[in-house]
Amino acid sequence: MTTDLCYTLVYQDDATETPSLQDFQRAFERGPDETRIDTMKKLLVIMLNGDPMEKLLLHVIRFVLPSKNKQLKKLLQFYWEICPKTKPDGKLKEEFILVCNALRNDLQHPNEYIRGSTLRFLCKIKEAEVLEPLVPSVRACLEHRYSYVRKNAVFAIGSIYKAFDFLFPDAPEVVQSFLLSEADMTCRRNAFVVLCNINQALAVQYLQRAIDSVPSFDELLQLAVIELIRKDSKGNSSNKAAYIRCLSELLAAASHSVKYEAASILLFLTTSPAAVKAAASCYIELIVKESDNNVKLIVLDRLEEIRNKHEQVLGDLVMDVLQVLSSPDIEVRRKALRIALEMVSSRNVQEVVLFLKKELTKTQDDSYEKSTEYRQILIQSIHTCAIKFSEVAANVVHVLMEFLGDANNPAAVDVVSFVREVVEKFPGLRESILEKLIETFADMKSEMVFKGALWIIGEYCASIKEIDDAWEQIRHGLGEIPLLASEQRLLDEAEAAENGNESESTIPAIPSGTAAPRRVLADGTYATESAYTESTSAATARLEAVKAARKPSLRSLILGGDYFLATVLSTAITKLALRYSTLSTDSSLANARKAEGMLIMTSILRIGQSKFAAFEIDEDSYDRIVQDLRVVGTGDNKVIEEVYLESTREVFAKQLQAEDKRLADAKTENEASVQVQADDVIMFRQFTKKSGGSTDEYDQDLSRATGILDDKDNLMSKLNHIVQLTGFSDKVYAEAVVNVHQYDILMDVLIVNQTNETLQNLTVEFATLGDLKLVDRPSAHNLAPRSFLTLKAPIKVSSTETGVIFGNIVYDGHGSTENCVVLNDIHIDIMDYINPAYCNETQFRSMWTEFEWENKVNVNTNVNDLRGYLQHIMDSTNMSCLTPKKQLEGDCGFLSANMYAKSIFGEDALANLSIEKNSDGPITGHIRIRSKTQGIALSLGDKITLAQRTVA
């Protein structure tokens, strides 16, 4: 029963002085009830920490037992539970005859709460001699007029029968007759649970008789019925049909707990489509109605398990799953959308996309909770649907393009990446998409959106009209050309206007000569200001005013120093000019288009070297723009035209194919993974022994949750994790097994006394560095000569960081006051908390820009192969490579790759590997690590530094 698993932890404060035996006796003899209560508490704490205090038993019986104080009675029950009740020969102490008499009086007490409390206490007594004289009184309590007494009496009978069936041989029949005659639901539930534990056959008989009325039962009794159905159905299939019908009715129960358990057991009993659909509908209803977000996430996990096993059955419920999006929690929405997208088919994709479009419209309201993040998730979901089902792409692409001018940068970037993929995969939509893209070009604000849009325009504008429209929008976004001349004109106009204002105003005459006007400062001294300083500051102010003036978005971004955008713009202009020259029959128009493009690129170069830009143009951007300038000016060159107009699009198409292939391979690998090995033992329940032949699945789940059945707990794994803490020649030898679980570390420490003396007050003192926290401090022990001691020290982990555990052993020895042995440091490996993960390129770039902690590690290794070194770093850091394998192929002398991992605490770790190798020299380069927290960046850097010199 569940009460067997209950226990109490009581802390003893070492700082307080422990009373002596005489102090306890005097307090019991002479003190009032309040003093006795405090004394009993102190006595219980001392007994729970190992001292039985047997000499106080008679004093407790004489002076505390007769008291009528309710709190003292409760403390006495704790005392009777833990005090030694038998003599060394195993027989009951004579004093307990008085205790049994007092317990019998309490069982017959007129106060129902004293009776109930005593009955609950009897469930914890495991001595037959104490229980035997109390059985008649317990039986009589079944007929008490108060339900509180009756429900505890049933539990007491069950406990007595389970421990000593000879004391209450007819307990199953008594409980069954009580169950049939009882009207109170709580008493019936307790009786039913007891009957299930002591005689399951009788409980099944009762259930068969009352199975039609189960829906009208109390919630607790319904849960007990579901538990019996689970247990009985494993070995008895004759009642399966009745059980399925009963569980189906319980799916409509008022209690959420009953619904959840009924749905779980229903799926355990049958896999029929109707039952699966009913259970899934029940789960969805629970998610929508339940207010606790943790419960929502748990039930969503169960729903995903059903979908994985019965994918074809749940197709009609996709719109019901989308109802979960009404939840305000973003994690619930994200998980619900992921499940719904897996359930989308060609039959329901139109409805799903229409619903998502409505949700997307709601996010434009600023009052909508977490609207920007939710909008991004919705855009990604619509993107997935449109790529998977081409028939909806035309319906959604124009709606999504309305968000290209969104101030929320990630959402707009997702839209432009979606448009880029749709334009490539669906040629029939290119014309309408380009028209819409050119219309919304002026509304764009983000440099990432501009880059994507310019690339699409440069690649897919295939007609003269499209090129003209795109060119017009680009000119509109740049403003007046040339850039430098127009900015200089604005500055000159501002200067002229200021000079005009000065000439119009009446200004007192300034003394002639070079002397500046004198001003007296606060301290009485003269201050001077030259005309040159005044004119310089005024010119700077005018320049800043010109820079801050309102300009088109594209122009302001380039003047702000985004020269990467300027190179993308130059490449797009080059492509448009080259394609226009191939389409147009009028060479003068083609040359005019090229000349205008060259003017734009030249003006970008000049403005990048002027005072009007935020900072000077970098060398790489300058070279790229000059290259585009030369391409436009060289005239017809078939090779260059092929590179600019065809090769880039082919590369993008191959990239999309590689991504689709990666997703398909990952899905195939997941479906083809071996769930059960061919040589695994097959369990036949019919052939198992009647006693102890099989274990309960729920008990196994509980054991796994507590770590008892963890694979890491086997012997070989423990041997691999042994850390020696002291030397073999030390007086005290110590070693520890470090068991790393998800959020905590359990150290199993073995201490050996290698001397011929008793070591008194031996204490192991631990301290930690990093985000580690010692939960419990080990208590002091006395260690006999040549004996050993095992201690457990739990440590809480709060983040992914390399931690250090250090400490010492302190003890009192013969002839010396105190001895100390310093322990070796234990380093906790960060790899126990990091797992490989995957994210797309957009997410990686977004996180790379957002994360502020960076750790740069220079490459210093004896590995000669570039890809071998990459694989070695991936194995050493548990990071996955995001760069496609196709891009890593070939021998070009250099390699660049992005890596990603995620910790169990939800922390992201990004890494960029950039290495090269000369013909005969070693590998050179660096690894840049970025994360949101400092600890994971530094720890990963240390790990790479230690691991990179090892040959892969």
Side-chain angles (χ1 to χ4, degrees):
M1 295 172 69
T2 54
T3 52
D4 299 337
L5 303 174
C6 300
Y7 57 91
T8 305
L9 295 176
V10 180
Y11 171 67
Q12 182 178 9
D13 189 1
D14 296 334
T16 57
E17 186 178 353
T18 304
S20 63
L21 185 65
Q22 291 75 20
D23 294 337
F24 277 117
Q25 290 174 346
R26 282 195 296 271
F28 284 143
E29 290 174 5
R30 302 171 188 174
D33 282 350
E34 289 74 14
T35 305
R36 290 173 179 169
I37 288 172
D38 293 336
T39 308
M40 282 296 296
K41 289 180 179 178
K42 294 177 182 177
L43 176 62
L44 290 172
V45 170
I46 293 173
M47 292 177 68
L48 286 170
N49 283 276
D51 190 348
M53 303 291 283
E54 295 190 37
K55 294 183 179 179
L56 287 176
L57 175 62
L58 208 53
H59 271 74
V60 172
I61 292 175
R62 287 176 58 195
F63 300 106
V64 183
L65 188 60
S67 174
K68 295 182 179 180
N69 186 286
K70 304 293 189 303
Q71 193 172 356
L72 264 181
K73 282 186 176 294
K74 188 64 180 175
L75 292 172
L76 267 177
Q77 291 176 1
F78 290 140
Y79 178 77
W80 302 136
E81 183 182 351
I82 63 176
C83 74
K85 305 175 187 62
T86 57
K87 294 183 287 187
D89 59 358
K91 293 183 179 179
L92 190 70
K93 292 180 179 179
E94 289 81 1
E95 295 91 335
F96 266 85
I97 298 174
L98 301 172
V99 176
C100 291
N101 186 52
L103 291 175
R104 186 169 59 248
N105 292 337
D106 286 343
L107 289 174
Q108 297 170 358
H109 200 281
N111 187 316
E112 66 272 16
Y113 294 106
I114 292 180
R115 281 201 187 197
S117 176
T118 308
L119 287 166
R120 291 180 63 182
F121 160 70
L122 291 182
C123 296
K124 302 176 182 179
I125 299 298
K126 303 302 177 188
E127 284 76 22
E129 293 87 346
V130 176
L131 294 172
E132 186 174 7
L134 305 178
V135 169
S137 300
V138 172
R139 187 192 293 263
C141 286
L142 279 178
E143 301 174 0
H144 197 273
R145 66 180 184 276
Y146 287 108
S147 62
Y148 180 76
V149 177
R150 298 198 301 273
K151 70 178 184 180
N152 286 297
V154 172
F155 269 152
I157 291 173
S159 176
I160 294 171
Y161 181 81
K162 201 170 182 181
F164 311 103
D165 53 355
F166 59 88
L167 294 181
F168 214 132
D170 59 338
E173 290 76 16
V174 170
V175 173
Q176 184 187 28
S177 60
F178 173 79
L179 182 59
L180 293 171
S181 59
E182 181 58 48
D184 183 77
M185 277 296 175
T186 309
C187 295
R188 290 173 67 184
R189 179 258 177 186
N190 288 9
F192 187 78
V193 170
V194 169
L195 198 59
C196 292
N197 280 276
I198 64 176
N199 194 322
Q200 186 171 310
L202 290 179
V204 172
Q205 287 181 15
Y206 170 78
L207 179 58
Q208 290 174 343
R209 186 181 308 176
I211 197 164
D212 293 333
S213 56
V214 168
S216 62
F217 285 175
D218 180 68
E219 174 188 352
L220 294 176
L221 185 52
Q222 287 177 340
L223 290 172
V225 167
I226 293 172
E227 178 67 11
L228 176 64
I229 290 175
R230 183 185 66 81
K231 289 181 177 179
D232 186 57
S233 58
K234 289 193 299 182
N236 183 11
S237 59
S238 59
N239 300 323
K240 188 175 180 179
Y243 289 160
I244 291 174
R245 188 176 68 253
C246 176
L247 291 171
S248 300
E249 293 176 354
L250 289 178
L251 293 178
S255 168
H256 289 181
S257 302
V258 174
K259 285 183 176 180
Y260 178 79
E261 293 295 336
S264 301
I265 305 304
L266 183 62
L267 293 173
F268 175 74
L269 290 182
T270 179
T271 57
S272 67
V276 170
K277 190 174 289 188
S281 300
C282 179
Y283 281 148
I284 294 170
E285 184 182 356
L286 279 177
I287 299 166
V288 173
K289 293 184 177 180
E290 181 59 45
S291 58
D292 191 344
N293 290 327
N294 293 322
V295 175
K296 289 177 183 283
L297 292 171
I298 291 171
V299 182
L300 278 169
D301 287 336
R302 295 287 297 170
L303 188 63
E304 191 165 14
E305 290 178 14
I306 299 177
R307 188 202 61 76
N308 290 334
K309 294 179 181 177
H310 312 281
E311 191 169 357
Q312 304 300 326
V313 179
L314 301 186
D316 297 336
L317 298 178
V318 62
M319 297 305 296
D320 297 331
V321 174
L322 291 175
Q323 294 176 13
V324 182
L325 297 181
S326 59
S327 170
D329 186 71
I330 194 68
E331 289 300 324
V332 174
R333 290 173 176 172
R334 182 181 283 110
K335 184 170 283 192
L337 270 174
R338 189 176 70 243
I339 296 172
L341 290 180
E342 294 294 332
M343 298 164 63
V344 173
S345 64
S346 57
R347 292 183 302 162
N348 53 33
V349 65
Q350 297 286 356
E351 295 178 83
V352 172
V353 170
L354 182 62
F355 183 88
L356 294 179
K357 284 162 63 176
K358 290 179 180 178
E359 287 291 308
L360 193 59
T361 307
K362 292 180 185 177
T363 61
Q364 294 179 325
D365 185 3
D366 293 335
S367 62
Y368 206 68
E369 188 173 358
K370 291 189 176 181
S371 59
T372 55
E373 189 175 356
Y374 183 42
R375 185 184 310 160
Q376 187 176 358
I377 298 171
L378 287 171
I379 289 171
Q380 293 170 354
S381 303
I382 295 174
H383 179 179
T384 305
C385 289
I387 297 302
K388 192 183 293 186
F389 304 97
S390 58
E391 62 267 22
V392 299
N395 298 334
V396 299
V397 67
H398 295 290
V399 177
L400 290 184
M401 289 176 72
E402 298 290 341
F403 293 92
L404 284 174
D406 196 347
N408 178 28
N409 187 26
V413 171
D414 285 336
V415 171
V416 80
S417 63
F418 163 64
V419 172
R420 185 173 57 183
E421 190 170 349
V422 170
V423 166
E424 173 60 33
K425 288 190 172 181
F426 307 111
L429 301 176
R430 287 177 186 171
E431 186 177 349
S432 61
I433 291 176
L434 283 170
E435 183 181 351
K436 183 70 174 178
L437 184 65
I438 293 169
E439 284 179 11
T440 56
F441 191 83
D443 300 328
M444 298 176 188
K445 300 179 180 65
S446 166
E447 71 278 2
M448 293 295 294
V449 178
F450 269 122
K451 291 169 190 173
L454 286 169
W455 187 89
I456 295 170
I457 288 171
E459 285 294 335
Y460 297 101
C461 282
S463 66
I464 293 179
K465 182 181 181 304
E466 290 173 349
I467 294 174
D468 288 339
D469 293 342
W471 200 279
E472 182 182 351
Q473 287 298 326
I474 291 173
R475 283 297 307 269
H476 179 71
L478 285 172
E480 187 179 347
I481 299 294
L483 297 175
L484 180 58
S486 60
E487 293 292 316
Q488 184 64 48
R489 183 177 54 77
L490 289 174
L491 182 61
D492 295 342
E493 289 175 358
E495 185 176 354
E498 188 173 335
N499 292 334
N501 292 334
E502 288 180 1
S503 62
E504 291 174 5
S505 60
T506 304
I507 303 174
I510 299 175
S512 60
T514 57
R518 292 189 175 186
R519 293 190 177 92
V520 180
L521 299 178
D523 58 354
T525 60
Y526 287 108
T528 60
E529 184 180 19
S530 67
Y532 177 76
T533 305
E534 185 177 1
S535 62
T536 304
S537 61
T540 304
R542 286 193 295 272
L543 179 62
E544 292 299 325
V546 169
K547 286 184 178 180
R550 184 178 179 84
K551 301 179 181 69
S553 298
L554 185 58
R555 184 188 186 104
S556 62
L557 287 170
I558 294 175
L559 290 175
D562 193 343
Y563 296 113
F564 184 31
L565 173 60
T567 60
V568 176
L569 173 62
S570 300
T571 305
I573 289 173
T574 303
K575 292 177 181 178
L576 291 176
L578 291 176
R579 190 170 285 113
Y580 191 88
S581 63
T582 60
L583 295 174
S584 176
T585 56
D586 191 343
S587 59
S588 60
L589 290 176
N591 290 334
R593 187 71 72 193
K594 288 183 179 181
E596 190 176 357
M598 294 172 71
L599 176 63
I600 292 173
M601 288 185 269
T602 306
S603 64
I604 291 174
L605 291 176
R606 293 193 64 194
I607 199 73
Q609 296 172 331
S610 71
K611 60 185 177 181
F612 295 101
F615 48 86
E616 191 174 354
I617 186 170
D618 59 281
E619 187 178 349
D620 290 341
S621 301
Y622 184 89
D623 291 344
R624 181 60 192 268
I625 296 174
V626 168
Q627 175 189 316
D628 291 335
L629 195 59
R630 287 174 179 165
V631 168
V632 176
T634 53
D636 295 335
N637 188 319
K638 298 299 181 184
V639 176
I640 292 178
E641 288 183 5
E642 183 181 354
V643 170
Y644 270 80
L645 301 182
E646 297 178 12
S647 298
T648 52
R649 190 188 303 182
E650 291 174 0
V651 170
F652 179 62
K654 289 179 180 178
Q655 183 181 343
L656 292 179
Q657 292 171 4
E659 180 66 14
D660 293 341
K661 186 175 184 301
R662 186 194 65 80
L663 294 175
D665 291 345
K667 186 175 182 180
T668 306
E669 184 180 352
N670 186 38
E671 292 174 352
S673 59
V674 178
Q675 302 293 335
V676 180
Q677 295 294 336
D679 55 349
D680 282 354
V681 177
I682 300 175
M683 294 295 296
F684 294 96
R685 290 198 183 100
Q686 291 83 352
F687 297 157
T688 55
K689 297 179 181 178
K690 290 293 184 183
S691 59
S694 62
T695 56
D696 191 271
E697 290 91 342
Y698 276 40
D699 295 338
Q700 287 182 344
D701 290 343
L702 181 62
S703 302
R704 290 189 190 99
T706 54
I708 298 174
L709 292 183
D710 198 344
D711 292 338
K712 295 182 179 178
D713 287 342
N714 59 43
L715 179 60
M716 292 306 297
S717 178
K718 284 186 175 182
L719 291 176
N720 291 333
H721 287 81
I722 287 181
V723 179
Q724 186 177 339
L725 301 179
T726 64
F728 291 111
S729 60
D730 288 323
K731 291 184 178 181
V732 178
Y733 173 75
E735 64 182 23
V737 178
V738 182
N739 293 318
V740 179
H741 298 291
Q742 268 208 328
Y743 300 107
D744 61 349
I745 299 169
L746 182 63
M747 289 203 309
D748 202 343
V749 185
L750 173 67
I751 300 172
V752 181
N753 181 3
Q754 300 194 108
T755 66
N756 294 321
E757 301 175 357
T758 299
L759 304 181
Q760 298 179 346
N761 296 326
L762 185 143
T763 307
V764 183
E765 298 177 348
F766 285 114
T768 59
L769 285 177
D771 285 340
L772 304 176
K773 182 181 178 183
L774 190 66
V775 178
D776 293 325
R777 180 172 169 236
S779 57
H781 295 272
N782 296 331
L783 199 56
R786 304 292 176 184
S787 63
F788 61 89
L789 173 69
T790 302
L791 298 174
K792 293 186 184 296
I795 295 172
K796 198 74 176 173
V797 184
S798 57
S799 73
T800 310
E801 185 177 346
T802 300
V804 180
I805 305 170
F806 58 95
N808 52 49
I809 297 176
V810 181
Y811 59 89
D812 297 335
H814 182 69
S816 60
T817 56
E818 185 174 302
N819 294 279
C820 178
V821 179
V822 179
L823 305 178
N824 289 336
D825 294 346
I826 302 174
H827 294 267
I828 304 303
D829 193 357
I830 187 178
M831 293 302 102
D832 292 321
Y833 303 103
I834 288 184
N835 299 314
Y838 175 79
C839 67
N840 58 41
E841 183 182 357
T842 305
Q843 293 170 331
F844 183 89
R845 290 181 182 276
S846 174
M847 288 188 288
W848 187 268
T849 307
E850 176 188 351
F851 292 168
E852 56 185 6
W853 290 103
E854 179 174 315
N855 187 9
K856 187 175 181 180
V857 180
N858 292 322
V859 173
N860 183 12
T861 181
N862 50 11
V863 180
N864 295 319
D865 181 52
L866 294 176
R867 282 186 292 275
Y869 179 76
L870 171 62
Q871 187 62 44
H872 175 57
I873 294 298
M874 289 167 55
D875 295 339
S876 303
T877 58
N878 283 354
M879 301 188 84
S880 61
C881 182
L882 302 181
T883 307
K885 292 182 180 179
K886 291 283 185 182
Q887 297 182 16
L888 300 175
E889 292 177 353
D891 297 322
C892 57
F894 68 90
L895 186 147
S896 179
N898 293 331
M899 296 180 288
Y900 177 62
K902 199 162 190 173
S903 74
I904 60 174
F905 304 100
E907 299 167 315
D908 299 295
L910 313 176
N912 173 259
L913 174 74
S914 299
I915 53 178
E916 63 178 341
K917 184 179 185 301
N918 297 324
S919 55
D920 298 324
I923 293 177
T924 58
H926 57 265
I927 303 170
R928 296 167 65 193
I929 305 161
R930 284 199 182 183
S931 66
K932 206 166 192 176
T933 57
Q934 182 185 21
I936 191 170
L938 294 177
S939 301
L940 267 179
D942 295 340
K943 185 70 178 176
I944 291 174
T945 302
L946 291 173
Q948 67 173 337
R949 293 191 61 84
T950 307
V951 178

PDB file of all heavy atoms in Angstrom, residues 256 259 283-292 296:
ATOM      1  N   HIS A 256     -10.941  15.619 -13.911  1.00  0.00           N
ATOM      2  CA  HIS A 256      -9.887  15.552 -14.910  1.00  0.00           C
ATOM      3  C   HIS A 256      -8.953  14.370 -14.660  1.00  0.00           C
ATOM      4  O   HIS A 256      -8.454  13.744 -15.597  1.00  0.00           O
ATOM      5  CB  HIS A 256      -9.093  16.848 -14.915  1.00  0.00           C
ATOM      6  CG  HIS A 256      -9.859  18.004 -15.470  1.00  0.00           C
ATOM      7  ND1 HIS A 256      -9.338  19.276 -15.588  1.00  0.00           N
ATOM      8  CD2 HIS A 256     -11.126  18.087 -15.963  1.00  0.00           C
ATOM      9  CE1 HIS A 256     -10.244  20.092 -16.117  1.00  0.00           C
ATOM     10  NE2 HIS A 256     -11.334  19.392 -16.343  1.00  0.00           N
ATOM     11  N   LYS A 259     -10.597  11.238 -15.990  1.00  0.00           N
ATOM     12  CA  LYS A 259     -10.532  11.218 -17.459  1.00  0.00           C
ATOM     13  C   LYS A 259      -9.161  10.779 -17.954  1.00  0.00           C
ATOM     14  O   LYS A 259      -9.036   9.929 -18.844  1.00  0.00           O
ATOM     15  CB  LYS A 259     -10.845  12.612 -18.008  1.00  0.00           C
ATOM     16  CG  LYS A 259     -12.308  13.011 -17.973  1.00  0.00           C
ATOM     17  CD  LYS A 259     -12.450  14.385 -18.621  1.00  0.00           C
ATOM     18  CE  LYS A 259     -13.918  14.781 -18.692  1.00  0.00           C
ATOM     19  NZ  LYS A 259     -14.080  16.105 -19.307  1.00  0.00           N
ATOM     20  N   TYR A 283      -8.121  13.502 -24.207  1.00  0.00           N
ATOM     21  CA  TYR A 283      -6.886  14.226 -23.918  1.00  0.00           C
ATOM     22  C   TYR A 283      -6.974  15.677 -24.387  1.00  0.00           C
ATOM     23  O   TYR A 283      -6.567  16.605 -23.679  1.00  0.00           O
ATOM     24  CB  TYR A 283      -5.702  13.529 -24.605  1.00  0.00           C
ATOM     25  CG  TYR A 283      -5.191  12.308 -23.876  1.00  0.00           C
ATOM     26  CD1 TYR A 283      -4.654  11.233 -24.571  1.00  0.00           C
ATOM     27  CD2 TYR A 283      -5.219  12.232 -22.485  1.00  0.00           C
ATOM     28  CE1 TYR A 283      -4.162  10.115 -23.918  1.00  0.00           C
ATOM     29  CE2 TYR A 283      -4.744  11.121 -21.824  1.00  0.00           C
ATOM     30  CZ  TYR A 283      -4.217  10.058 -22.546  1.00  0.00           C
ATOM     31  OH  TYR A 283      -3.735   8.955 -21.880  1.00  0.00           O
ATOM     32  N   ILE A 284      -7.512  15.869 -25.591  1.00  0.00           N
ATOM     33  CA  ILE A 284      -7.607  17.231 -26.136  1.00  0.00           C
ATOM     34  C   ILE A 284      -8.525  18.090 -25.267  1.00  0.00           C
ATOM     35  O   ILE A 284      -8.230  19.256 -24.975  1.00  0.00           O
ATOM     36  CB  ILE A 284      -8.111  17.178 -27.590  1.00  0.00           C
ATOM     37  CG1 ILE A 284      -7.077  16.484 -28.480  1.00  0.00           C
ATOM     38  CG2 ILE A 284      -8.405  18.574 -28.111  1.00  0.00           C
ATOM     39  CD1 ILE A 284      -7.567  16.172 -29.870  1.00  0.00           C
ATOM     40  N   GLU A 285      -9.631  17.505 -24.835  1.00  0.00           N
ATOM     41  CA  GLU A 285     -10.558  18.234 -23.961  1.00  0.00           C
ATOM     42  C   GLU A 285      -9.881  18.609 -22.647  1.00  0.00           C
ATOM     43  O   GLU A 285     -10.067  19.714 -22.125  1.00  0.00           O
ATOM     44  CB  GLU A 285     -11.794  17.368 -23.701  1.00  0.00           C
ATOM     45  CG  GLU A 285     -12.863  18.074 -22.880  1.00  0.00           C
ATOM     46  CD  GLU A 285     -14.049  17.174 -22.594  1.00  0.00           C
ATOM     47  OE1 GLU A 285     -14.067  16.025 -23.098  1.00  0.00           O
ATOM     48  OE2 GLU A 285     -14.944  17.608 -21.842  1.00  0.00           O
ATOM     49  N   LEU A 286      -9.061  17.678 -22.121  1.00  0.00           N
ATOM     50  CA  LEU A 286      -8.334  17.972 -20.884  1.00  0.00           C
ATOM     51  C   LEU A 286      -7.369  19.137 -21.078  1.00  0.00           C
ATOM     52  O   LEU A 286      -7.258  20.019 -20.223  1.00  0.00           O
ATOM     53  CB  LEU A 286      -7.537  16.732 -20.438  1.00  0.00           C
ATOM     54  CG  LEU A 286      -8.294  15.646 -19.690  1.00  0.00           C
ATOM     55  CD1 LEU A 286      -7.363  14.473 -19.403  1.00  0.00           C
ATOM     56  CD2 LEU A 286      -8.832  16.188 -18.382  1.00  0.00           C
ATOM     57  N   ILE A 287      -6.662  19.143 -22.203  1.00  0.00           N
ATOM     58  CA  ILE A 287      -5.681  20.199 -22.459  1.00  0.00           C
ATOM     59  C   ILE A 287      -6.376  21.553 -22.543  1.00  0.00           C
ATOM     60  O   ILE A 287      -5.883  22.556 -22.018  1.00  0.00           O
ATOM     61  CB  ILE A 287      -4.911  19.910 -23.767  1.00  0.00           C
ATOM     62  CG1 ILE A 287      -4.153  18.588 -23.652  1.00  0.00           C
ATOM     63  CG2 ILE A 287      -3.934  21.028 -24.074  1.00  0.00           C
ATOM     64  CD1 ILE A 287      -3.641  18.068 -24.981  1.00  0.00           C
ATOM     65  N   VAL A 288      -7.528  21.594 -23.186  1.00  0.00           N
ATOM     66  CA  VAL A 288      -8.238  22.860 -23.371  1.00  0.00           C
ATOM     67  C   VAL A 288      -8.796  23.372 -22.044  1.00  0.00           C
ATOM     68  O   VAL A 288      -8.707  24.570 -21.739  1.00  0.00           O
ATOM     69  CB  VAL A 288      -9.362  22.694 -24.416  1.00  0.00           C
ATOM     70  CG1 VAL A 288     -10.217  23.948 -24.498  1.00  0.00           C
ATOM     71  CG2 VAL A 288      -8.778  22.356 -25.780  1.00  0.00           C
ATOM     72  N   LYS A 289      -9.324  22.477 -21.217  1.00  0.00           N
ATOM     73  CA  LYS A 289     -10.013  22.897 -19.996  1.00  0.00           C
ATOM     74  C   LYS A 289      -9.080  23.044 -18.798  1.00  0.00           C
ATOM     75  O   LYS A 289      -9.378  23.798 -17.879  1.00  0.00           O
ATOM     76  CB  LYS A 289     -11.129  21.896 -19.660  1.00  0.00           C
ATOM     77  CG  LYS A 289     -12.271  21.900 -20.662  1.00  0.00           C
ATOM     78  CD  LYS A 289     -13.383  20.956 -20.229  1.00  0.00           C
ATOM     79  CE  LYS A 289     -14.565  21.003 -21.193  1.00  0.00           C
ATOM     80  NZ  LYS A 289     -15.647  20.085 -20.795  1.00  0.00           N
ATOM     81  N   GLU A 290      -7.972  22.308 -18.780  1.00  0.00           N
ATOM     82  CA  GLU A 290      -7.081  22.347 -17.626  1.00  0.00           C
ATOM     83  C   GLU A 290      -6.331  23.684 -17.586  1.00  0.00           C
ATOM     84  O   GLU A 290      -5.855  24.174 -18.609  1.00  0.00           O
ATOM     85  CB  GLU A 290      -6.080  21.189 -17.697  1.00  0.00           C
ATOM     86  CG  GLU A 290      -5.110  21.120 -16.540  1.00  0.00           C
ATOM     87  CD  GLU A 290      -5.798  20.969 -15.196  1.00  0.00           C
ATOM     88  OE1 GLU A 290      -6.719  20.147 -15.087  1.00  0.00           O
ATOM     89  OE2 GLU A 290      -5.402  21.694 -14.266  1.00  0.00           O
ATOM     90  N   SER A 291      -6.217  24.255 -16.400  1.00  0.00           N
ATOM     91  CA  SER A 291      -5.566  25.560 -16.264  1.00  0.00           C
ATOM     92  C   SER A 291      -4.069  25.452 -16.015  1.00  0.00           C
ATOM     93  O   SER A 291      -3.323  26.385 -16.320  1.00  0.00           O
ATOM     94  CB  SER A 291      -6.210  26.335 -15.105  1.00  0.00           C
ATOM     95  OG  SER A 291      -6.100  25.595 -13.896  1.00  0.00           O
ATOM     96  N   ASP A 292      -3.617  24.338 -15.488  1.00  0.00           N
ATOM     97  CA  ASP A 292      -2.192  24.173 -15.172  1.00  0.00           C
ATOM     98  C   ASP A 292      -1.405  23.881 -16.448  1.00  0.00           C
ATOM     99  O   ASP A 292      -1.668  22.901 -17.150  1.00  0.00           O
ATOM    100  CB  ASP A 292      -2.014  23.032 -14.161  1.00  0.00           C
ATOM    101  CG  ASP A 292      -0.608  22.983 -13.599  1.00  0.00           C
ATOM    102  OD1 ASP A 292       0.297  23.604 -14.193  1.00  0.00           O
ATOM    103  OD2 ASP A 292      -0.402  22.322 -12.564  1.00  0.00           O
ATOM    104  N   LYS A 296      -0.964  20.518 -19.027  1.00  0.00           N
ATOM    105  CA  LYS A 296      -1.177  20.609 -20.477  1.00  0.00           C
ATOM    106  C   LYS A 296      -0.013  19.975 -21.227  1.00  0.00           C
ATOM    107  O   LYS A 296      -0.210  19.211 -22.184  1.00  0.00           O
ATOM    108  CB  LYS A 296      -1.312  22.074 -20.897  1.00  0.00           C
ATOM    109  CG  LYS A 296      -2.598  22.767 -20.469  1.00  0.00           C
ATOM    110  CD  LYS A 296      -2.557  24.241 -20.881  1.00  0.00           C
ATOM    111  CE  LYS A 296      -3.777  24.995 -20.408  1.00  0.00           C
ATOM    112  NZ  LYS A 296      -4.965  24.735 -21.230  1.00  0.00           N
TER     113      LYS A 296
END
